[in-house]
Amino acid sequence: MMYSGIDLHSNNSVIAVIDDSDRVVAQKRLPNDIAKIIGFLARWQDELAGVVVESTYNWYWLVDGLQDTGFHVHLANTAAIKQYEGLKHSGDETDAQHLAHLLRLGILPTGTILPREHRVVRDLARKRMQLVQSCTTHVLSVENIMARQLGGRMTSNQIKRLTADTVDSLPLGEDVGLAIKASVAVIATLQSQIEVLEKRLQERVKPRPQYALLTSVPGIGQALATVIVLETGPIDRFADVGNYASYARCVDSVHTSNRKKKGEGNVKNGNKYLAWAFVEAANFARRFCPEAKRFHERKKARTNNIVATKALAHKLARASYHILKESKPFDVARCFA
């Protein structure tokens, strides 16, 4: 059998093909052209046990193209791969060979390749989040200007309702008013685009049964349910609830030796969008769910507000896993027993 590894870059890729004895059969640097890459690998297609592609920011086109041609593709989890630090020389060629080597040994850490139709909707939800964050930045900018110039405070809803005429009526200098008008125009544009994306996301996600199940959880509304459904993907890809909670960044990262803490690992390892969603859900749940509020207050009395909120987020993440796994709505007694 043959094994192939591809070290993917922004404009080119290094492809290596090795055999059962780790001998390099072929190796070449090619531009990021799917036809040329497939043409290079076609000679060994029937013998290849698999092709490993790095999970970089731009892997979609390469993985989809290889799968469409019939190659068995593996997406390498680059955060979990670490080469021997004593190497005197390393480069793109050795990186590609190392990926193929890990595949041959059967110890390649892999990520999930979600279907492209799922990825496009998920990326649409991420775009919505990006626009919301940008809108919030401009709202805070206007709020700060108002505080500096007038000494008062405007709420975000008041700022979002501002118009050019309203700004002109305020006792502000011409240049200050122009700065506010610029932000107001950007806020209006962003809000209109956010509404367009939200409408499309509702059309794509609301019919899914997972969506209705997640909205039964206290603190999880339409926006958060959409994020959790799309970022989670098939729940069966998680071996157990602990893996899911870890993926959502809801568990501690600690290294111990002889029962003593020696440090921490990669605390950002996981899905940042799920982490955000469950913390937001926790903040809403403790306001509107009595059981969640009591749990939060008990934790807060022993630790602090941040740790208590994260603990509640962990509870909701575990509950969401069981809800999706068992296809049953939220049970408040089971969650906060």
Side-chain angles (χ1 to χ4, degrees), residues 108-128:
L108 176 73
T110 58
T112 302
I113 302 175
L114 295 173
R116 68 188 74 182
E117 58 271 14
H118 183 101
R119 296 198 306 262
V120 294
V121 182
R122 181 193 63 183
D123 289 349
L124 193 64
R126 292 179 178 180
K127 173 56 68 175
R128 174 201 167 274

Side-chain angles (χ1 to χ4, degrees), residues 17-209:
V17 179
I18 67 172
D19 60 16
D20 281 322
S21 60
D22 273 345
R23 182 177 64 89
V24 178
V25 177
Q27 188 167 268
K28 193 171 185 179
R29 185 185 296 271
L30 293 172
N32 282 346
D33 184 323
I34 190 63
K36 292 182 179 179
I37 293 174
I38 290 174
F40 177 77
L41 291 172
R43 175 182 172 186
W44 301 280
Q45 183 167 359
D46 294 336
E47 304 170 72
L48 279 172
V51 180
V52 184
V53 177
E54 282 187 306
S55 178
T56 54
Y57 75 98
N58 60 332
W59 62 263
Y60 288 7
W61 66 275
L62 180 55
V63 169
D64 290 342
L66 290 170
Q67 286 184 330
D68 290 343
T69 313
F71 287 95
H72 185 44
V73 184
H74 303 268
L75 189 64
N77 181 1
T78 52
I81 297 175
K82 189 174 184 180
Q83 291 197 49
Y84 172 55
E85 294 182 346
L87 291 174
K88 285 191 173 182
H89 175 79
S90 66
D92 299 336
E93 292 78 10
T94 55
D95 288 345
Q97 295 167 23
H98 187 63
L99 293 173
H101 172 70
L102 294 177
L103 177 63
R104 185 185 72 80
L105 295 179
I107 57 173
L108 176 73
T110 58
T112 302
I113 302 175
L114 295 173
R116 68 188 74 182
E117 58 271 14
H118 183 101
R119 296 198 306 262
V120 294
V121 182
R122 181 193 63 183
D123 289 349
L124 193 64
R126 292 179 178 180
K127 173 56 68 175
R128 174 201 167 274
M129 186 180 296
Q130 182 188 39
L131 296 184
V132 170
Q133 291 171 344
S134 180
C135 184
T136 302
T137 299
H138 287 279
V139 168
L140 292 175
S141 173
V142 174
E143 186 177 325
N144 291 337
I145 292 175
M146 292 294 191
R148 285 196 300 269
Q149 300 297 327
L150 302 178
R153 181 182 181 275
M154 293 186 73
T155 65
S156 60
N157 288 332
Q158 289 175 325
I159 292 172
K160 290 176 182 178
R161 290 194 293 267
L162 284 176
T163 63
D165 293 336
T166 308
V167 175
D168 287 335
S169 66
L170 297 172
L172 299 169
E174 184 178 348
D175 292 337
V176 176
L178 185 61
I180 294 176
K181 287 178 183 179
S183 288
V184 167
V186 174
I187 291 169
T189 301
L190 289 171
Q191 283 186 298
S192 66
Q193 293 304 310
I194 290 169
E195 290 174 2
V196 171
L197 297 187
E198 287 179 343
K199 182 179 179 181
R200 176 61 64 84
L201 287 168
Q202 283 292 297
E203 293 173 357
R204 295 286 189 267
V205 181
K206 193 172 183 179
R208 304 185 187 188

